[in-house]
């Protein structure tokens, strides 16, 4: 069974615990369970990983770049959190893994928020973008990945 990575960046471990008006009340554990279930229904093994450390996110994307080349992974759904707006390293990494489809996902509509959230270093190297549908966006992104990339 091919793998799909659901990757979450800084502070997303706090999902559902604070700022419910912005991010809702669903916890990251709930989101991860929803993604695993949806993946299974679609015929994929979903691996979920969250880190507050940029380097750990880079390592995980590189690992999936290798799995993708070996035909063992389909792609990645990635909410890079605030690193979205700052990280040239994540941009370079996604570009560098050469082919691994990465769907950028955001819980909130970043374009309806502060101007510093309008810039994304991930968007130019993403296969697609899902923004502003709350935590349901992760499922939309998974579905889109499978619909467009399944072989
Ligand atoms: O809307 C999104 O998914 C974001 O990626 C969430 C990030 C934010 O920096 C991005 O601009 C948009 C924030 C991660 C969640 O941070 C929380 C902080 C407190 C309580 C709950 C979540």
């Amino acid at each position: 069974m091919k793998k799909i990575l659901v990757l979450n960046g800084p502070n997303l471990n706090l999902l559902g615990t604070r700022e419910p008006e912005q991010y809702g009340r669903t916890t990251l554990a709930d989101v991860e369970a929803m993604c695993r279930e949806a993946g299974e229904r679609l015929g994929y093994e979903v691996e979920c990983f969250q880190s507050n450390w940029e380097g750990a996110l880079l390592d995980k994307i590189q690992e999936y770049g290798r799995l993708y080349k070996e035909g063992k992974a389909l792609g990645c759904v990635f909410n890079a959190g605030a690193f979205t707006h700052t990280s040239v390293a994540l941009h370079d990494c996604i570009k560098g893994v050469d082919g691994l489809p990465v769907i950028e996902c955001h819980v909130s509509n970043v374009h309806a928020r502060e101007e510093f959230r309008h810039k994304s270093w991930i968007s130019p190297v993403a296969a697609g973008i899902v923004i502003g549908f709350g935590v349901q966006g992760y499922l939309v992104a998974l579905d889109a990945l499978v619909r467009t990339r399944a072989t």
Side-chain angles (χ1 to χ4, degrees):
M1 199 184 267
K2 273 195 190 182
K3 296 178 83 171
I4 295 175
L5 175 64
V6 173
L7 186 60
N8 278 289
N11 292 316
L12 283 150
N13 54 314
L14 300 176
L15 213 57
T17 66
R18 287 180 231 157
E19 298 188 43
E21 62 294 338
Q22 198 66 255
Y23 301 116
R25 294 194 184 277
T26 312
T27 66
L28 183 62
D30 294 334
V31 170
E32 292 181 342
M34 282 159 48
C35 288
R36 279 195 209 93
E37 250 173 60
E40 217 166 280
R41 261 184 276 119
L42 294 164
Y44 293 87
E45 181 192 337
V46 170
E47 179 184 353
C48 299
F49 184 81
Q50 186 275 332
S51 182
N52 293 324
W53 295 86
E54 196 173 12
L57 299 170
L58 296 170
D59 286 348
K60 204 70 194 170
I61 292 167
Q62 289 185 13
E63 179 191 329
Y64 266 73
R66 289 190 293 271
L67 289 176
Y68 180 77
K69 274 209 171 125
E70 293 164 6
K72 295 177 184 163
L74 187 71
C76 169
V77 172
F78 186 23
N79 185 346
F83 289 155
T84 303
H85 319 298
T86 62
S87 182
V88 176
L90 283 167
H91 171 104
D92 287 347
C93 181
I94 294 167
K95 203 172 182 180
V97 290
D98 194 24
L100 175 78
V102 174
I103 313 278
E104 178 181 3
C105 177
H106 296 287
V107 175
S108 63
N109 178 359
V110 284
H111 296 291
R113 300 181 64 190
E114 305 95 322
E115 194 156 355
F116 66 83
R117 294 186 205 276
H118 299 180
K119 164 78 185 173
S120 169
W121 287 96
I122 310 299
S123 297
V125 288
I129 306 165
V130 178
I131 288 176
F133 294 107
V135 296
Q136 296 299 323
Y138 287 90
L139 301 183
V140 173
L142 268 178
D143 198 51
L145 181 64
V146 173
R147 281 173 184 268
T148 58
R149 300 296 172 136
T151 45

